[in-house]
Amino acid sequence: MKVFINKRIPEIGINMLQEAGLQIIFPENENLTYEEWLKYCQHTDVILSIGGDFKYDKLFFETCPNIKAIALYSVGFDHVDIKEANQRHIPIGNTPDVLSRATSDIAFLLMQSVARRASYNFQKVKDGAWDTFEPLHALGQELYGKTLGIFGLGRIGFQMAEKCKKAFEMEIIYHNRHHNEEAERELEATYVSFDELVRNSDVLSVHANFTPEHKDLFNQSVFEKMNPNAIFINTARGGFHQEKDLYNALTEGKIWGAGLDVTNPEPMSADNPLLKLSNVCVLPHIGSATIEARNGMARLAAENIIAFSKGEKMPYCANPEVYSISSL
């Protein structure tokens, strides 16, 4: 069974696949064009997919009819047409849990960086603009006792809420499709409507799975309802927020600051006006960028592929319903 891996992953995953007797194919150049990527995919059985540069849509599946399974090196699977995969009986593996702590750490870091304008002040030091003491220049704000709003209180959102509760004694409110009883019990989190979440959060952090219905959810009308001292954090997907509306909200004082680990498009252009604002911190999608998280992702992706190669169900499957449609 041939496994195409479009970028190098930690050795733990590669070793596991090799020990299982699978043939691994790497591209000569990892910066593939769409056409080059398709050619590799057309001559393989399974894809271990790193990054979201290319979409697994109807055109892809029609162009690569030999693909039998896809193992994503990520939790998110919004770049995969699950309906098309199900129709073709193709299981889609992902890597939940192992990056929850690391990603929540980045959300927590962004919240503090924005609250204290850390990236702006760091840039001043690098630029040689460390001025004399100015009592009123670029002041930050404290987070103690404030209200954290979580949009999408799953594994990552829970970790973020727990950190904020313990570090700053923040009150936790959240909006989900369903109640999170564990969070309500352990963190005294309160379920609220989306409108209440927007209006009552001092920090609003996005952690939901992205779906088409979420596109530009955080837009002008939403930002206008937020607290003018509020901080908007997005470590989920860039598609959640409308970037122009976010910029306007920040420059017009509708909200206080923003921290982003995801943008739309990615990478963000170096001349993006958001990067000129003192109340904004942007990171290059490094939520899972720790040795521990990336090793864990490699292990889970390899486990998914090895299970598939043995005719077993993927242990971490984004579309488990595929197994009720057709057995492997």
Side-chain angles (χ1 to χ4, degrees), residues 25-64:
I25 301 170
F26 288 108
E28 294 182 6
N29 174 16
E30 292 187 353
N31 296 317
L32 297 171
T33 66
Y34 178 72
E35 290 73 20
E36 291 170 337
W37 174 71
L38 277 180
K39 286 182 180 179
Y40 278 103
C41 294
Q42 286 172 333
H43 297 91
T44 190
D45 302 299
V46 178
I47 302 171
L48 201 169
S49 178
I50 296 91
D53 296 337
F54 306 123
K55 294 187 180 297
Y56 295 95
D57 53 15
K58 183 175 182 179
L59 176 61
F60 167 82
F61 289 118
E62 290 177 346
T63 308
C64 304

Side-chain angles (χ1 to χ4, degrees), residues 152-201:
L153 187 52
R155 299 179 183 92
I156 299 173
F158 186 96
Q159 293 271 353
M160 171 63 168
E162 186 175 42
K163 289 177 174 66
C164 292
K165 185 80 172 178
K166 291 180 177 179
F168 296 114
E169 298 181 352
M170 296 178 78
E171 299 294 325
I172 311 299
I173 60 176
Y174 75 99
H175 181 73
N176 265 16
R177 292 182 184 274
H178 307 287
H179 282 259
N180 187 323
E181 295 181 359
E182 180 185 8
E184 293 178 2
R185 181 177 63 254
E186 297 188 14
L187 304 178
E188 299 179 317
T190 301
Y191 179 89
V192 296
S193 68
F194 180 72
D195 189 67
E196 289 175 302
L197 183 83
V198 168
R199 294 182 184 278
N200 297 330
S201 296

Side-chain angles (χ1 to χ4, degrees), residues 112-126:
Q112 294 179 86
S113 296
V114 172
R116 297 302 300 270
R117 300 184 192 258
S119 59
Y120 166 76
N121 284 298
F122 180 41
Q123 188 63 48
K124 285 184 64 179
V125 175
K126 292 197 293 181

Side-chain angles (χ1 to χ4, degrees), residues 38-108:
L38 277 180
K39 286 182 180 179
Y40 278 103
C41 294
Q42 286 172 333
H43 297 91
T44 190
D45 302 299
V46 178
I47 302 171
L48 201 169
S49 178
I50 296 91
D53 296 337
F54 306 123
K55 294 187 180 297
Y56 295 95
D57 53 15
K58 183 175 182 179
L59 176 61
F60 167 82
F61 289 118
E62 290 177 346
T63 308
C64 304
N66 294 326
I67 294 298
K68 302 175 180 65
I70 298 171
L72 303 177
Y73 190 74
S74 65
V75 174
F77 48 90
D78 50 286
H79 57 307
V80 180
D81 188 327
I82 294 296
K83 182 178 179 180
E84 288 292 330
N86 285 343
Q87 289 178 351
R88 291 167 169 79
H89 315 306
I90 297 174
I92 308 296
N94 66 342
T95 60
D97 296 334
V98 291
L99 50 74
S100 297
R101 181 177 296 174
T103 304
S104 69
D105 285 348
I106 288 296
F108 192 70

